[in-house]
Amino acid sequence: MNDNEANLANVVSQMANFSSVDVNSLGVPDFLAVLGISLLASFYIALLYNRFYQSRATGSQAHHAFPLLGLSVTSIFICIQFSLPLSLGLLGALSIVRFRTPIKEPEEVAFIMLVIASSICCATFNFIFLTVILGMAVVGMLVARWAQKRSRGKLPGGMLTITLAFEEYK
């Protein structure tokens, strides 16, 4: 095995053993601490949403649900770590849940996924991954904002509205 393969194997083994917390020994204080960190991360993501995408007129104000979403996803993932039958039952129960409110902006989906990813990091005690994910999200949004300002007026964009008579529409 050469040096590159050894380094890769070392990184993979470190990532596999990243969480040193035994989930079976999780007590109430640890559970509350994890929920608190998840709540803080969710509030931070809601703040990022307000900072970068609040000005959109078509938004559904999804960021108001981020704290509750973060707490619930963290709790679900902590609970399913204890029991395989519970996780399978929960998967079946959650498969019937449908959302009737459409998500109007793709950015909202991205922020919801960011909340879910941060909640999973909290539930698995991977707080360094949580920090990296949130940091990279901020860097990505700053770069996107910078690129948008740099290309303003240079890229074609806008909205085209076509009005047809009812007879022509058929």
Side-chain angles (χ1 to χ4, degrees):
M1 185 159 50
N2 63 24
D3 287 338
N4 288 337
E5 290 175 356
N7 288 339
L8 181 61
N10 186 25
V11 168
V12 169
S13 68
Q14 286 178 352
M15 290 177 76
N17 296 324
F18 200 82
S19 176
S20 61
V21 177
D22 183 17
V23 177
N24 292 326
S25 67
L26 184 67
V28 174
D30 296 329
F31 180 69
L32 292 176
V34 167
L35 286 180
I37 293 170
S38 176
L39 186 62
L40 288 174
S42 299
F43 278 127
Y44 181 70
I45 295 169
L47 188 117
L48 290 177
Y49 180 89
N50 280 334
R51 178 77 174 113
F52 288 95
Y53 293 103
Q54 180 65 27
S55 61
R56 304 278 171 114
T58 59
S60 66
Q61 304 297 316
H63 67 284
H64 292 298
F66 289 175
L68 186 59
L69 180 65
L71 287 175
S72 61
V73 170
T74 301
S75 299
I76 288 170
F77 273 89
I78 286 175
C79 289
I80 65 174
Q81 290 181 38
F82 290 111
S83 169
L84 182 61
L86 176 65
S87 65
L88 294 175
L90 188 61
L91 179 64
L94 291 177
S95 67
I96 64 168
V97 174
R98 293 177 19 201
F99 295 99
R100 298 210 179 257
T101 304
I103 295 175
K104 298 176 176 86
E105 294 287 334
E107 291 86 3
E108 291 179 359
V109 175
F111 276 98
I112 290 170
M113 292 300 295
L114 186 60
V115 171
I116 291 171
S118 67
S119 298
I120 292 171
C121 286
C122 290
T124 56
F125 303 95
N126 289 319
F127 300 114
I128 294 176
F129 283 166
L130 173 66
T131 306
V132 170
I133 288 170
L134 294 178
M136 290 304 294
V138 170
V139 168
M141 288 184 282
L142 289 172
V143 168
R145 179 177 278 178
W146 175 81
Q148 183 182 21
K149 286 181 181 179
R150 296 270 304 163
S151 66
R152 194 163 301 225
K154 296 178 184 174
L155 297 176
M159 183 181 293
L160 175 65
T161 305
I162 300 174
T163 306
L164 299 173
F166 183 74
E167 296 79 30
E168 296 173 1
Y169 181 69
K170 292 181 180 182

